[in-house]
Amino acid sequence: MRIHFLGAADGVTGSRHLVETGDRRVLLDCGLFQGWKLHRERNWLMPPEFAQLDAVVLSHAHLDHSGWLPALVRNGYRGPIHASPATCELAAVLLMDSAHLQEEDARRANRYGYSKHAKALPLYTRADAARAIAQFRPLPPGRLLSLGASQVSLSPVGHLLGACAVLLATPDGRLLFSGDLGRQHDLLMPPPEPPPAADVVIVESTYGNRRHPDEDSAALLADIVGRTARRGGSVLLPAFAVGRAQALLLVLQRLKRAGAVARDLPIYLDSPMAEQATTLYRRHGELLHVPARELRSLCEGVRVVATAQQSVRLAGTRFPAIIISASGMATGGRVLNHLKVMAPDPRDAIVFAGFQVGGSRGARLLAGEREVKIHGEMVPVRAEVRHLEGFSGHADRDELLQWLGRLGTPPRQTFVVHGEPDAADSLRAAIGQQLGWQVQVPAHGAVVTP
Ligand SMILES: [Zn+2]
């Protein structure tokens, strides 16, 4: 077997690993690069290695794992895209929205003339996304799928509705790809299933150098909400529309029921995609560990902002409220309408609940930058900016090591991917020291024959 590391090898985005099994070329994940410009520019290049693929297997629906599929299809890929049934449904929602955002960005750049190019073009269109979605082939977890002389199977790892680790059993050995690993105690998802035996492992390292704080995130959120409302401000929760938005709704509903957040404080869900995703979460209740009654009442009393005009109008009205809006790293989408108005107001609070990739607006705000560029203009930052890491959907360093430790027999080689360089290197060192395994962090573009 030969592995080409073509993304998420020097950062957390653009997850894509090409495996040559002898008779097949299988791409594990096909993610979009986000964050640093240096990384985002890779979205515009079709790696020559992608020219003759036989199959794509997706670990989960998040765009940094699935968001380049429409571009792959646009570049001529016509083969199957295998993923768990829930991942197929979620990815369909995410890809259409991503294509819409790409089209919108290009249109806005052309209208206001802030593109460096004569005419800004979208990376891909909704038609490209629809074509990619038509190539999805649902593969239920636990079922074996033959790809030539190899077999693929999926096993749930928490993290996100439908998220799975991928096992590719080739004639040269069994390759396990963790995808993104969830937590032992998540608000929505059950803990990851133990890993199947493997000879080669590719493991993520988003939180490879960090332990999640032992804090009561719900109480912290209630505290911020209360404090902000008392000074007449609003709380903006930039949230990934899929996963974190539902977790935040669940917590806010619990806080309201407990009286920890004022019952009459309005909650706005300003993300049509989050609403669609919430419907999917409800439909797949059997994959979650949330009581059915709570799942049904997730949006009770929540005001869903339907149109883009309503979103702009909401951003213009100033009264205490909680606004959940995407994208989660404030890299685009309707959250920018609110950020533009709220960032300069010291009464307001901006609370990030998910991982913020380096170079994203979210990471810049959390680093304390006093100015942030939105839609081509500089906006001062005077609002309170907070990070509630406890809402993360990612395993931390200890949980990653625990999951790997359950493999039993050590694999002959382990590759650490999907982490900022210090996180990846820290997990590499821990795997070597604590588990005694052969382990390395591959460089972007590295090719190995493990
Ligand atoms: Zn993910």
Side-chain angles (χ1 to χ4, degrees):
M1 116 183 46
R2 182 179 296 160
I3 309 172
H4 303 247
F5 294 96
L6 296 166
D10 55 357
V12 297
T13 69
S15 176
R16 37 202 203 184
H17 313 295
L18 172 64
V19 187
E20 294 178 66
T21 65
D23 61 355
R24 289 291 189 279
R25 292 164 66 82
V26 181
L27 184 62
L28 303 178
D29 281 354
C30 187
L32 196 65
F33 287 97
Q34 298 159 317
W36 302 115
K37 184 162 191 210
L38 181 74
H39 287 175
R40 280 184 279 127
E41 281 174 346
R42 290 184 189 149
N43 287 327
W44 296 91
L45 299 172
M46 164 77 173
E49 295 88 344
F50 286 4
Q52 276 150 358
L53 292 177
D54 296 295
V56 179
V57 184
L58 276 195
S59 64
H60 66 292
H62 276 146
L63 287 177
D64 57 326
H65 297 256
S66 73
W68 209 74
L69 282 169
L72 182 70
V73 167
R74 183 181 213 165
N75 278 285
Y77 178 67
R78 294 291 174 267
I81 299 165
H82 304 286
S84 76
T87 294
C88 289
E89 287 184 49
L90 264 188
V93 173
L94 279 161
L95 292 182
M96 287 310 286
D97 184 76
S98 172
H100 173 68
L101 287 182
Q102 304 281 355
E103 290 175 4
E104 281 290 298
D105 281 353
R107 203 170 300 139
R108 195 177 288 119
N110 287 326
R111 193 179 326 135
Y112 298 110
Y114 60 76
S115 165
K116 281 185 231 51
H117 309 281
K119 182 166 169 39
L121 292 174
L123 180 61
Y124 49 76
T125 63
R126 277 172 287 182
D128 298 321
R131 209 172 304 146
I133 292 162
Q135 288 167 232
F136 280 147
R137 301 288 176 268
L139 175 64
R143 190 174 299 172
L144 277 184
L145 170 80
S146 290
L147 293 177
S150 305
Q151 285 93 37
V152 178
S153 57
L154 304 173
S155 59
V157 286
H159 179 61
L160 178 74
L161 185 69
C164 286
V166 181
L167 184 73
L168 184 60
T170 79
D172 303 329
R174 292 157 62 89
L175 168 71
L176 173 66
F177 169 45
S178 69
D180 284 358
L181 196 68
R183 304 179 64 177
Q184 281 303 314
H185 305 281
D186 188 87
L187 281 161
L188 300 166
M189 302 301 301
E193 286 188 4
D199 305 294
V200 178
V201 172
I202 302 175
V203 66
E204 68 118 333
S205 60
T206 314
Y207 286 93
N209 57 346
R210 293 225 291 276
R211 196 172 289 154
H212 290 313
D214 196 12
E215 63 190 17
D216 184 345
S217 305
L220 287 173
L221 179 61
D223 185 53
I224 296 170
V225 168
R227 191 167 63 220
T228 307
R230 277 194 295 280
R231 60 180 185 237
S234 292
V235 176
L236 178 61
L237 293 162
F240 298 97
V242 173
R244 284 321 85 195
Q246 289 73 32
L248 287 168
L249 284 172
L250 185 73
V251 168
L252 288 168
Q253 295 286 19
R254 285 179 185 169
L255 290 172
K256 280 202 166 191
R257 272 199 301 277
V261 162
R263 290 203 172 86
D264 57 355
L265 189 66
I267 300 175
Y268 290 92
L269 183 61
D270 188 7
S271 161
M273 185 173 47
E275 196 202 0
Q276 277 175 281
T278 305
T279 307
L280 280 181
Y281 266 75
R282 282 210 204 97
R283 196 188 305 158
H284 290 280
E286 80 285 357
L287 300 177
L288 311 174
H289 74 160
V290 179
R293 179 181 37 82
E294 273 202 276
L295 211 51
R296 274 196 303 276
S297 62
L298 218 48
C299 285
E300 222 167 70
V302 173
R303 302 173 197 194
V304 177
V305 182
T307 68
Q309 286 84 345
Q310 284 171 357
S311 172
V312 172
R313 210 174 311 136
L314 172 64
T317 40
R318 308 296 293 136
F319 52 82
I322 299 170
I323 301 168
I324 303 174
S325 189
S327 73
M329 299 189 289
T331 47
R334 290 189 188 175
V335 72
L336 297 183
N337 296 336
H338 303 290
L339 200 56
K340 244 200 291 200
V341 181
M342 294 173 74
D345 192 332
R347 293 173 303 170
D348 291 336
I350 300 157
V351 182
F352 290 93
F355 186 80
Q356 302 298 312
V357 59
S360 63
R361 272 194 204 87
R364 288 175 192 278
L365 284 164
L366 284 177
E369 290 196 13
R370 304 312 298 162
E371 247 186 352
V372 59
K373 197 174 184 179
I374 301 175
H375 296 154
E377 63 185 79
M378 294 311 289
V379 175
V381 182
R382 298 187 201 97
E384 178 180 351
V385 179
R386 287 290 158 126
H387 192 197
L388 291 181
E389 218 177 85
F391 288 120
S392 166
H394 280 273
D396 66 7
R397 171 196 180 84
D398 292 355
E399 290 167 319
L400 284 162
L401 287 166
Q402 263 168 33
W403 186 76
L404 289 171
R406 295 174 77 180
L407 260 173
T409 317
R412 63 174 184 251
Q413 188 60 260
T414 297
F415 300 96
V416 177
V417 298
H418 200 284
E420 302 284 351
D422 48 347
D425 198 61
S426 173
L427 186 68
R428 175 198 60 76
I431 290 172
Q433 282 156 16
Q434 295 186 27
L435 302 173
W437 295 1
Q438 282 294 327
V439 56
Q440 55 177 287
V441 178
H444 179 74
V447 183
V448 298
T449 310

